[in-house]
Amino acid sequence: MIEVLETHCKLVYLKAMTDLDKIRNFSIVAHIDHGKSTLADRLIQDCGGLSAREMSEQVLDNMDIERERGITIKAQTVRLTYKAKNGETYVLNLMDTPGHVDFGYEVSRSLSACEGSLLVVDASQGVEAQTLANVYQALDADHEIITVLNKMDLPAAEPDRVKSQIEDVIGLPADEAVAVSAKTGMGIENVLEKIVTTLPAPQGDATAPLKALLVDSWYDAYLGVMTLVRVRDGVLKKGMKVRMMATGAVHTIERVGVFGPKPTAVDQLGPGEIGFINAAVKTVSDAKVGDTITEDRRVCDDVLPGFKPSVPVVFCGLFPIDTADFPALREALEKLSLNDSSFSFEAETSAALGFGFRCGFLGLLHMEVIRERLSREFDLDLISTAPSVVYQLTMTDGSKRNMHNPADMPEVTRIRSIEEPWIKATILTPDEFLGQVLTLCVERRGEQIDLTYAGSRAMVVYRLPLNEVVFDFYDRLKSATKGYASFDYQIDDYVEGELVKVSILVNSDPVDALSMIVHKEQSEYRGRAICARLKDLIPRQMFKIALQAAIGGKVIARETISALRKDVTAKCYGGDVSRKRKLLDKQKEGKKRMRQFGKVDIPQNAFLEALKMGDN
Amino acid sequence: MPASRLESACAPNAAAVPLSLYIHWPFCVSKCPYCDFNSHIAGELDEAAWLRSMCAELEHMARIAAETLSTDKLRLETIFFGGGTPSLMPPKIVSALIDKAATLFSFANNIEITAEANPNSAEMKQMESFHSAGINRLSLGIQSLHNEGLAFLGRAHSVDEACNALEQALTLFDRVSADLIYGLPEQTAAEWQQQLTQIIGFGIQHLSAYQLTIEPGTIFHSRTRAGAILTAEPDHVADLYELTEDIAAAAGLPAYEVSNYAAANNQARHNLTYWQSGNWIAVGPGAHGRITYPHQQKRRHFRLRRSPGGWLNDVASNGHAIEEDRIEAACDMYEEYWMMGLRLVKGMPLTPPFFAPDIALPGSVFCLDAEWQARFCKEGWLIEEGGCLKASLQGRMRLDYMLGKLLG
C-alpha cells in the first residue's frame, strides 16, 4: 500500500523492504557554516528526492531561525534512492545533524542510528573546534568516516593544507578526501559513490523479534506525534502492536513511513531501515527517546543501550516585560517543550521582575534560540536574567542539593562546600591571536591542558569553570580573534570552588534578579562594576538611592544616586489641565515598566541593561 | 468701559452663581521658541468677523452656563483676555466683549478684568483704550530684564521697552503683574536675584516666575532633541526656585501658587478659579471651559476648535465652535481637584466641596494613596492642617512626582 501524506507530494513508489546490502545509513558532521546543510540539500536533489522547483535552500532546516542563522537545531532524516555506477539501486538514509555543541545530544542520537559519517570540512577554513568534537563523537560510535572537502569552488580553497591539517589535528587519513562544491554541484556524484562503496551496510535479522531504536520524537501539527525509528532486527508494520520497553506502554502502529524528504507512507520497515511511525501516542513525552521498540507478542531479548539523557546546564530566568503576558509565556514554553524536551522550566517570582520562569538549557546557543523563538514565534517581550550554571551544594548536615538560581542560595553558615561545573574547552585560533586567547582563558580561571600547532593555527585545550563562560566568553573570544577562533566545549566535572554570592541592594532591598555567584577573588571587582553600571542606568529620582553590593552582610561596593529636588509643571492654567492630565496618565502608564523598591522606582530597563553587562 | 458704565452693569445678587470668563486671542506677532500655547501669526484680520463671532460665542456660552447650572443668575467674578497676544486685540473687540458680557451676566462689584500684554511700545499705546474698555488688571510678559535673556527667549522687546511699559502700566492700572522666566542656561543666582529685586522694585503687586521648560511642539524642543542644552542644571534650577520664594516673600509678595507671588489681596482671582476647580466659560480658538453640575458630582468640560480659521467657520455656521463637550466623571474631577489645588500654598479641603454630603461617596476611588500621603507628610512635603491638605515649599517643588504617587 502506498499512501502519500501530503497531496502536493509527488507519488513515489517505495519498495516495501530493502535488502540490507542495498542500504547505507550515514550522518553528516561538520563545524558550523562548513556547508553541511547545503551538501545535504544537494544530495537530496541529485537523488531526485525533490525537484529543483521544490528545493528551497536548506530544506532540512525547517525553522526560520535555523535558516537565518545557518544552524541546524533539530536532526533531520531523509531517505534517498541512488542508482550507483554498478547498476544497483541503493537506499541511502541521510541524517543531518546539528553542528553546535549545545545540540550534541541530537548528534549522538543520529550517530547511533547510522554506520558511517561524512566529515565535511571547509576547504578554505580547515578544521575547526566543532569539527573535532563531532568527528570524535562519530569515531566513538564506530563510524566509518568519509572526508569531504567542501567549498572547493572558492578561490581561497587550499585543499592540500586542509588535508594535512585533518591528518595532523584529527589523525584521519585525508588522501582519499572527496573534493566537492555543494554550491556548484561539483563532486556530488563522487560522494554518493563513496558512500555506497566504502560505508558498511547495516546488519540485522528480519526474522528475529522486532528490535528498533526510538531515535527521536516530535509533534507535527498534521500527523500528531512522530516517532523516528531505526530498525535493528525484525520488521515494523502497520497495525502491529508494539511495546516500548522502558515505559512498558503498548501501542498499535497506525502508520509507517519514511521521509523522502516529505513524509511518505510505506508498508513496513525492515532491518537497517530508518523511518517514522505514528501510533496512538498522545504526547511526545510518551515516546521516550532512546527507548527500544519491540513487538508486544514477540518481545526481543535485550534492550538497546539508548542515550544519555540531556541535562540542562545553563539556567536563566525569563520574565515578561508586561506582567499580563505571564500566561502567554507559560503557554509558549509549553508549546516549545513539545518538540524540545531538552529544556526545562518552572515558575519563578522575582521582586524585581515579577512573575516568570526559571528555564534550563543545554547551553548558551540553546538558550538564545529558545529566547529568540519566544519573541519571534510568540511575540513576547522578555527580560532574561544573567545565565547561571548548576551548582552542587554540600550542606553542613551532609545533605546535597543542586542550585539553579543564585537567589536560592541558602545561608552561608549552612553550606559546607559549593562545587561548580568545569568544562573542557577546545579553541582553534590563528596563531597571531594566541596571546589574547590565552589571556582570556587565564582571566577566566582557566587551566591549560594542551597547546599544539597545525600550520598557522593553534589548538588550545583549557579547563574552565562554566560560570566564567556563560556570561560573555564567546563574545569576548570572537572580538579578541576578529571572529577567526572557533570554540567548543564539553562538560568535564564538578570541582569545589571558593564561590560567594554577591547580592545587589537598592536602598537596602536586595534585587534578586541581580544576585550572582562569583569566585571570591573577583567578587569585589564584579560588585563594584555592577554598582557603577547601575548608577548610570537608574535615573535620578526624588529620593536618594543607595546602591550596594554585598556578600552576606558585608558591603563590598557602594554608589549613591543623589535625589532630584524639583519636578513640577511651571505653568498650569485653565487650558493646561487636559495636558497635565495626559502627563499624569503617562506617568501611570510608565509605572508598569517600573519596579518599586521602597521609595524608589527603578525602570525595568535598568535591570535589563545591568544584566547585559555580562562581565566587564 | 468707563467706571460709571461698569457700575450700572453690577447688580449684586447674593444667590447668583459665580463664574469666570476666559477669552482667547490666538494671534502673535511672532512665535516664541519656548511657547506651546495656541498662537498663530496673524495675517490680514477681518476685524468685524472676529468681533461678531466672539460675541456670538459668548452668547452661546451664557446659554450653556445657564443650562448646566440650572440658573440664569450668573455672576461674573473675573474676565481674562489671554493668548496669543491679547494686547494686539483691536480695543473695539475688547470693549464689545465686555459690554456683551455685561448684558448676559451680572458683574461682581470687584470684578477682575485682566489682559495679558507684551511690553513693547506699539502695544502699550493701546493700553489706554483697554483701560477705558474696562480692563482693570494688566499682566505683562516681561520674561527677562536682560537683553541677552530676551534674545535667547526670542522676545521682540528690549529691556528699556519693558521698563517703560511697566511704568506706564503702573500709572494706568491699579493692578499690574509681571512674568519672568528663569532657569536659562548658565543663569547665575546673583543675576536672577538682581532681576527679581529690580522688577519687584517697580511696585508691581503680582509676579509670575516660570521655570523655563522644554515643551513638545516648540522650537526649543526640536533644538533640544538635536542636542542643544537650553536649560540650566536641575539642581541649580531648584536653588533658583527657593531663592525666588525667599526674595519675593521678603519683598511682600509671598508665594500663593507654584509659580505665582502676590501682595495681600492681589492674587490673580481668575487663575484661582482654575486652581480651585471653579466654574469658567471660554470664548475663542482652543479655549477650554468647565462647569460643575450642582449636586451631581460631575462636570461639563468643553473645548473649542483650535485653528483660528476653523473656529471662525464653526461660529459662523453654529454660533459656537465647541469641538468637544463631555461630562467628566467624579473620579476625574477628584484627580483634577488635587492636581490644581495642591499648586496653591493654602492647599485644599481634604473633602472636595463638590462631594455633596447628601450623595454617597462611591468609595475608594476618592482617596489619595494613604501610604504615599503619610510618607510625604513625614518628609515634610505635605502638610495636613485644619481639614486641608497643602504642599510645603519642598513639596510644591516636587508636586508632579507627588501627584503621580498620590493619584496613582
Side-chain angles (χ1 to χ4, degrees):
Chain A
M1 187 203 77
I2 293 152
E3 182 190 352
V4 176
L5 301 175
E6 284 179 284
T7 47
H8 59 277
C9 184
K10 114 183 131 172
L11 199 70
V12 194
Y13 173 72
L14 290 169
K15 209 171 130 190
M17 206 168 83
T18 317
D19 295 338
L20 277 170
D21 63 351
K22 295 291 183 297
I23 300 175
R24 298 292 183 272
N25 296 322
F26 66 99
S27 303
I28 309 183
V29 295
H31 186 78
I32 189 165
D33 277 346
H34 280 198
K36 176 169 55 70
S37 297
T38 317
L39 177 63
D41 290 350
R42 187 58 81 171
L43 294 173
I44 295 167
Q45 205 183 356
D46 274 29
C47 293
L50 286 172
S51 65
R53 189 178 56 79
E54 285 173 312
M55 290 295 291
S56 68
E57 216 176 305
Q58 301 185 0
V59 279
L60 296 186
D61 290 344
N62 284 322
M63 290 181 252
D64 283 349
I65 189 166
E66 290 184 314
R67 288 209 188 114
E68 269 171 42
R69 295 186 154 220
I71 53 172
T72 305
I73 295 167
K74 200 84 184 151
Q76 300 283 342
T77 310
V78 191
R79 174 176 172 139
L80 309 168
T81 38
Y82 172 63
K83 194 163 192 294
K85 284 184 181 151
N86 63 11
E88 298 283 351
T89 300
Y90 290 82
V91 166
L92 310 180
N93 287 303
L94 179 167
M95 298 189 83
D96 191 13
T97 60
H100 194 272
V101 54
D102 282 5
F103 308 105
Y105 74 108
E106 294 265 356
V107 180
S108 67
R109 280 189 224 172
S110 312
L111 294 175
S112 66
C114 302
E115 285 79 33
S117 285
L118 301 185
L119 169 65
V120 180
V121 182
D122 184 317
S124 62
Q125 285 184 21
V127 174
E128 295 289 0
Q130 285 160 20
T131 319
L132 282 173
N134 290 328
V135 78
Y136 288 143
Q137 258 189 307
L139 290 168
D140 283 348
D142 284 333
H143 275 200
E144 193 67 40
I145 310 277
I146 299 170
T147 307
V148 176
L149 294 184
N150 192 19
K151 306 197 186 179
M152 287 295 285
D153 56 309
L154 292 182
E158 293 179 88
D160 292 337
R161 180 183 67 85
V162 172
K163 274 185 193 171
S164 68
Q165 208 185 26
I166 291 169
E167 288 179 348
D168 293 349
V169 180
I170 309 177
L172 277 180
D175 49 337
E176 285 187 40
V178 191
V180 308
S181 164
K183 197 172 150 201
T184 65
M186 158 201 159
I188 299 300
E189 187 75 21
N190 296 341
V191 175
L192 290 165
E193 272 306 306
K194 193 98 175 170
I195 290 168
V196 170
T197 54
T198 60
L199 294 190
Q203 300 189 347
D205 179 357
T207 61
L210 175 67
K211 188 196 269 184
L213 178 67
L214 200 166
V215 183
D216 197 2
S217 65
W218 65 93
Y219 186 79
D220 182 284
Y222 301 102
L223 303 176
V225 174
M226 305 284 281
T227 305
L228 183 70
V229 295
R230 156 73 199 265
V231 180
R232 297 282 177 193
D233 293 316
V235 178
L236 196 51
K237 291 180 186 160
K238 182 181 172 177
M240 186 186 248
K241 261 196 173 152
V242 292
R243 181 190 299 182
M244 310 288 187
M245 292 190 73
T247 62
V250 177
H251 300 284
T252 303
I253 305 285
E254 292 171 349
R255 188 183 289 128
V256 179
V258 295
F259 294 100
K262 291 181 175 164
T264 309
V266 296
D267 280 350
Q268 54 185 3
L269 289 171
E273 291 195 289
I274 297 172
F276 70 87
I277 53 172
N278 293 132
V281 179
K282 291 217 173 50
T283 64
V284 171
S285 52
D286 290 339
K288 199 170 157 280
V289 168
D291 204 346
T292 305
I293 301 171
T294 189
E295 195 178 355
D296 187 43
R297 58 182 176 84
R298 201 160 72 112
V299 176
C300 61
D301 329 326
D302 53 347
V303 294
L304 294 162
F307 312 115
K308 256 197 286 180
S310 60
V311 184
V313 292
V314 177
F315 282 77
C316 82
L318 293 180
F319 295 85
I321 283 181
D322 185 344
T323 47
D325 281 344
F326 178 75
L329 175 58
R330 177 193 295 276
E331 205 175 305
L333 288 168
E334 277 166 0
K335 273 197 187 144
L336 286 184
S337 72
L338 274 182
N339 280 340
D340 186 352
S341 55
S342 60
F343 84 93
S344 64
F345 60 99
E346 58 181 58
E348 182 186 7
T349 37
S350 150
L353 305 173
F355 289 98
F357 292 92
R358 190 84 193 159
C359 304
F361 306 96
L362 298 169
L364 290 169
L365 181 71
H366 188 211
M367 178 171 80
E368 230 179 281
V369 165
I370 296 285
R371 271 199 319 220
E372 213 166 309
R373 290 187 67 188
L374 286 170
S375 82
R376 199 186 288 213
E377 292 167 32
F378 299 91
D379 199 23
L380 289 165
D381 270 344
L382 299 175
I383 286 186
S384 48
T385 63
S388 158
V389 302
V390 181
Y391 297 94
Q392 291 177 350
L393 309 185
T394 306
M395 311 302 286
T396 44
D397 64 5
S399 64
K400 287 187 185 285
R401 59 167 83 171
N402 283 343
M403 179 176 69
H404 296 162
N405 187 347
D408 297 338
M409 177 134 137
E411 264 178 67
V412 184
T413 49
R414 291 172 50 215
I415 302 171
R416 183 182 296 157
S417 64
I418 305 177
E419 290 184 5
E420 61 175 330
W422 282 63
I423 59 167
K424 196 172 133 192
T426 305
I427 300 166
L428 273 97
T429 174
D431 54 7
E432 56 187 300
F433 304 119
L434 182 62
Q436 287 96 308
V437 171
L438 295 182
T439 309
L440 179 65
C441 289
V442 170
E443 265 174 24
R444 304 302 174 95
R445 301 191 274 139
E447 294 165 3
Q448 197 181 90
I449 299 174
D450 198 9
L451 170 57
T452 48
Y453 285 92
S456 63
R457 282 177 85 79
M459 182 173 82
V460 189
V461 183
Y462 259 82
R463 262 172 54 82
L464 285 157
L466 182 60
N467 93 344
E468 301 283 347
V469 175
V470 292
F471 268 123
D472 62 345
F473 182 87
Y474 194 46
D475 289 342
R476 294 281 288 268
L477 180 70
K478 273 193 292 190
S479 62
T481 60
K482 301 202 167 96
Y484 284 113
S486 59
F487 166 72
D488 196 23
Y489 68 91
Q490 65 202 74
I491 297 288
D492 207 15
D493 56 357
Y494 270 79
V495 179
E496 187 176 334
E498 268 202 279
L499 298 166
V500 291
K501 174 182 164 182
V502 175
S503 311
I504 303 300
L505 300 98
V506 172
N507 282 353
S508 308
D509 280 345
V511 183
D512 48 8
L514 296 179
S515 56
M516 52 190 177
I517 306 286
V518 295
H519 194 259
K520 203 176 164 188
E521 277 175 19
Q522 292 171 340
S523 59
E524 276 196 36
Y525 168 72
R526 292 273 285 270
R528 270 201 304 276
I530 198 162
C531 284
R533 173 95 177 198
L534 280 172
K535 188 180 178 178
D536 289 339
L537 292 170
I538 300 176
R540 288 175 68 191
Q541 305 189 20
M542 291 293 132
F543 290 98
K544 188 173 88 177
I545 302 172
L547 302 169
Q548 295 169 314
I551 298 173
K554 186 179 162 239
V555 174
I556 53 169
R558 187 190 311 265
E559 292 279 357
T560 306
I561 301 173
S562 64
L564 279 176
R565 289 156 55 213
K566 195 161 187 282
D567 176 12
V568 59
T569 307
K571 269 187 177 183
C572 195
Y573 299 105
D576 305 317
V577 196
S578 311
R579 247 183 317 178
K580 184 78 193 303
R581 292 278 316 238
K582 271 185 207 147
L583 218 69
L584 189 70
D585 289 342
K586 223 164 125 188
Q587 213 174 332
K588 288 181 190 169
E589 186 57 33
K591 229 161 87 171
K592 280 192 198 158
R593 299 201 168 215
M594 299 285 234
R595 296 289 181 225
Q596 198 179 319
F597 281 80
K599 291 186 286 193
V600 301
D601 302 305
I602 305 211
Q604 229 173 27
N605 172 32
F607 293 120
L608 186 62
E609 290 298 315
L611 289 168
K612 265 194 204 154
M613 76 182 250
D615 186 9
N616 53 14
Chain B
M1 185 187 306
S4 56
R5 279 178 62 203
L6 240 179
E7 264 161 36
S8 63
C10 296
N13 184 342
V17 179
L19 193 66
S20 287
L21 166 64
Y22 176 73
I23 294 163
H24 191 82
W25 186 255
F27 301 110
C28 288
V29 172
S30 61
K31 180 96 188 156
C32 296
Y34 56 86
C35 175
D36 66 338
F37 278 50
N38 184 24
S39 63
H40 304 264
I41 310 304
E44 276 294 293
L45 208 65
D46 182 349
E47 249 179 65
W50 278 88
L51 191 150
R52 202 168 52 239
S53 302
M54 292 195 115
C55 286
E57 191 166 58
L58 179 57
E59 258 179 66
H60 185 78
M61 285 297 151
R63 276 197 296 278
I64 282 190
E67 158 200 317
T68 315
L69 292 164
S70 317
T71 176
D72 49 9
K73 289 179 178 169
L74 299 167
R75 185 178 72 236
L76 276 191
E77 291 289 328
T78 67
I79 304 175
F80 195 100
F81 289 85
T85 310
S87 49
L88 293 173
M89 251 175 122
K92 219 196 306 179
I93 300 182
V94 175
S95 170
L97 282 167
I98 295 174
D99 287 351
K100 185 82 191 170
T103 65
L104 296 166
F105 309 96
S106 67
F107 278 13
N109 277 332
N110 58 349
I111 187 168
E112 172 191 286
I113 307 181
T114 308
E116 290 178 332
N118 266 343
N120 61 51
S121 36
E123 287 163 49
M124 285 312 289
K125 277 189 192 136
Q126 296 214 92
M127 286 307 109
E128 219 157 305
S129 332
F130 271 49
H131 181 251
S132 313
I135 302 284
N136 56 21
R137 183 175 179 272
L138 199 70
S139 172
L140 279 171
I142 304 291
Q143 317 311 5
S144 175
L145 287 175
H146 283 254
N147 280 327
E148 310 83 75
L150 288 171
F152 173 79
L153 293 169
R155 300 294 296 188
H157 64 268
S158 67
V159 173
D160 285 346
E161 269 182 302
C163 293
N164 291 338
L166 266 168
E167 276 165 7
Q168 206 183 327
L170 281 159
T171 45
L172 209 54
F173 298 93
D174 294 339
R175 300 169 67 198
V176 174
S177 175
D179 288 4
L180 286 181
I181 296 177
Y182 68 95
L184 277 57
E186 290 168 44
Q187 180 171 40
T188 64
E191 186 246 276
W192 176 235
Q193 180 166 2
Q194 180 271 319
Q195 284 198 55
L196 282 172
T197 314
Q198 190 187 345
I199 204 150
I200 296 169
F202 277 93
I204 54 172
Q205 300 86 4
H206 189 280
L207 170 72
S208 301
Y210 299 115
Q211 177 189 337
L212 175 61
T213 52
I214 307 300
E215 303 300 332
T218 62
I219 296 170
F220 273 7
H221 190 245
S222 35
R223 281 178 60 195
T224 301
R225 284 179 51 160
I229 293 175
L230 301 175
T231 55
E233 284 286 307
D235 285 343
H236 182 55
V237 173
D239 288 341
L240 296 182
Y241 184 74
E242 289 170 344
L243 181 70
T244 310
E245 186 122 339
D246 286 349
I247 290 174
L253 304 181
Y256 72 98
E257 193 262 355
V258 169
S259 302
N260 285 284
Y261 309 83
N265 301 320
N266 274 290
Q267 299 179 356
R269 279 163 50 217
H270 183 82
N271 293 337
L272 284 172
T273 306
Y274 302 142
W275 295 321
Q276 293 174 329
S277 294
N279 293 324
W280 74 91
I281 52 172
V283 168
H288 294 241
R290 298 199 182 193
I291 308 169
T292 303
Y293 289 89
H295 311 295
Q296 288 185 50
Q297 298 188 22
K298 57 181 193 183
R299 181 152 74 159
R300 186 163 180 176
H301 174 185
F302 52 87
R303 184 174 54 79
L304 308 176
R305 187 142 172 205
R306 228 177 125 84
S307 83
W311 179 88
L312 266 184
N313 285 340
D314 282 7
V315 178
S317 41
N318 308 323
H320 66 84
I322 295 178
E323 197 169 55
E324 194 185 344
D325 186 359
R326 58 185 170 89
I327 306 289
E328 265 180 2
C331 53
D332 291 331
M333 283 171 75
Y334 186 75
E335 276 195 10
E336 242 181 68
Y337 174 80
W338 288 116
M339 275 168 48
M340 299 304 273
L342 281 176
R343 298 182 67 85
L344 293 171
V345 171
K346 69 175 180 62
M348 290 298 270
L350 272 160
T351 308
F354 56 82
F355 281 176
D358 53 326
I359 298 172
L361 290 187
S364 63
V365 185
F366 304 100
C367 59
L368 301 171
D369 185 298
E371 201 182 311
W372 281 105
Q373 192 182 332
R375 200 173 264 163
F376 293 144
C377 285
K378 201 170 148 223
E379 293 289 335
W381 297 350
L382 282 182
I383 300 161
E384 220 181 298
E385 209 173 61
C388 279
L389 186 68
K390 59 184 184 181
S392 65
L393 165 63
Q394 293 302 318
R396 288 196 301 280
M397 284 167 73
R398 298 162 168 90
L399 188 59
D400 287 5
Y401 166 74
M402 289 207 296
L403 287 169
K405 296 296 182 193
L406 292 170
L407 300 172

